[in-house]
Amino acid sequence: MVTLAERFPRPSVMGVVNVTPDSFSDGGVNFRPEDAVVSARKMLEEGAAIVDVGGESTRPGSEAVSLDEELRRVVPVLEALQGEVPVSIDTAKAEVAQRAIELGAELVNDVTALRGDPELAGMVASSDAYLCLMHMQGEPRTMQLDPQYDDVAGEVAAFLEERLGFAVDAGIPEERICLDPGFGFGKTVLQNFELLGRLGVIVQLGRPVLVGLSRKRSLGRILGDPEATTGPLSASLAAAIEAYERGAAIFRVHDVREHVEALTVAKAVG
Ligand code: HH2
């Protein structure tokens, strides 16, 4: 078995391809399958280790999409990329994950950490797929209304440790799993920055850590716009490097070339 750490050596870049009309970060640019496929190929050329294909937006306030709609969005993209571009599937639905794995997806990126669909754990266990478990407080529709923590890093770490145990008990080998603190998922600006500063607490759990900081609204807000819904590339790069310095391994980003270049420099220094 190739472990996740071997397959995605630190730092590895995961390109984001949202096959959605309403993602916060790339507002429908890849909603047409043809466009999503072109973007994914370009990300591979620019140095992405894998491309994360998703058919459901999880931005703050978003509504869930049906199984049929999610399949309709992602399947043509997965079919076109099969055997050419390494793919991760961003879904909480076992049937979407199953179809994606049949079409060659290597990793299941579940923002609910196996709490959304009771069938997903068994489905992943019966496959060879890697798995990302992400922390979220609440659910996308309401998660930004009033997130509360006594100790954000400690609570996120405890949650991820519990979900890792759940996944392993369900038969998914630990060596195939990475953990993600879930920046922006039920966290205020200050909570996100505290969590980034204390990312070492998550890294200490012993699994590779994936971070999704790219274009997140906290980056726009720390720059002074209290209404920002996205953050700029410059701030995304700074956040990625701060995460790398604290041990993050995989970087889920929209601007692949720039992150590959910045992380190559950070690695050379480190
Ligand atoms: N962030 C988003 C979606 N999926 N998965 C992981 N593991 N970590 C993240 O931080 C993460 C994620 C949200 O970003 P994006 O896909 O750009 O937007 P949307 O959810 O609006 O499609």
Side-chain angles (χ1 to χ4, degrees):
M1 176 177 75
V2 181
T3 68
L4 186 140
E6 289 162 351
R7 172 67 184 87
F8 300 106
R10 176 173 174 266
S12 285
V13 168
M14 167 186 272
V16 179
V17 175
N18 290 315
V19 196
T20 55
D22 56 345
S23 288
F24 85 95
S25 53
D26 50 12
V29 290
N30 289 318
F31 188 42
R32 286 176 7 148
E34 312 81 281
D35 297 332
V37 169
V38 169
S39 293
R41 289 190 179 127
K42 180 160 173 271
M43 288 175 181
L44 183 69
E45 266 175 41
E46 292 179 343
I50 193 159
V51 168
D52 192 36
V53 175
E56 176 175 49
S57 173
T58 48
R59 76 178 193 291
S62 62
E63 299 283 347
V65 302
S66 70
L67 171 65
D68 284 351
E69 177 60 16
E70 199 176 326
L71 284 170
R72 204 181 59 73
R73 292 178 182 181
V74 300
V75 165
V77 178
L78 299 172
E79 282 173 346
L81 297 178
Q82 191 171 13
E84 189 192 334
V85 178
V87 163
S88 147
I89 181 75
D90 188 348
T91 190
K93 296 187 182 75
E95 285 182 61
V96 176
Q98 170 92 55
R99 189 79 189 100
I101 290 168
E102 286 163 10
L103 291 169
E106 283 181 68
L107 187 150
V108 175
N109 175 24
D110 177 16
V111 299
T112 75
L114 302 178
R115 297 174 301 159
D117 183 338
E119 305 296 322
L120 185 56
M123 200 257 104
V124 174
S126 66
S127 76
D128 290 337
Y130 300 107
L131 175 67
C132 179
L133 298 171
M134 196 195 78
H135 175 271
M136 165 163 40
Q137 186 182 96
E139 54 170 278
R141 205 169 45 78
T142 52
M143 65 191 177
Q144 290 308 113
L145 294 182
D146 187 23
Q148 302 275 351
Y149 301 88
D150 292 325
D151 164 13
V152 65
E155 287 170 48
V156 169
F159 171 90
L160 290 173
E161 192 170 27
E162 189 275 321
R163 296 322 290 163
L164 179 63
F166 176 88
V168 169
D169 287 348
I172 305 166
E174 184 166 344
E175 295 71 26
R176 305 193 76 93
I177 301 175
C178 63
L179 304 176
D180 181 342
F183 290 104
F185 286 86
K187 292 154 192 107
T188 63
V189 175
L190 286 179
Q191 288 160 353
N192 281 312
F193 280 98
E194 183 180 341
L195 188 55
L196 176 54
R198 296 187 57 215
L199 197 68
V201 175
I202 315 295
V203 172
Q204 273 170 13
L205 294 173
R207 298 306 311 144
V209 170
L210 186 153
V211 291
L213 288 151
S214 176
R215 299 188 187 172
K216 292 261 161 100
R217 64 166 63 173
S218 287
L219 302 173
R221 294 193 178 183
I222 206 81
L223 295 178
D225 176 0
E227 304 298 323
T229 54
T230 63
L233 173 58
S234 51
S236 303
L237 291 169
I241 298 307
E242 293 291 336
Y244 176 75
E245 294 267 302
R246 288 164 177 77
I250 306 174
F251 299 79
R252 183 182 183 277
V253 308
H254 305 81
D255 304 283
V256 168
R257 186 172 53 80
E258 291 84 349
H259 280 84
V260 167
E261 289 174 355
L263 287 162
T264 302
V265 171
K267 184 179 172 200
V269 175

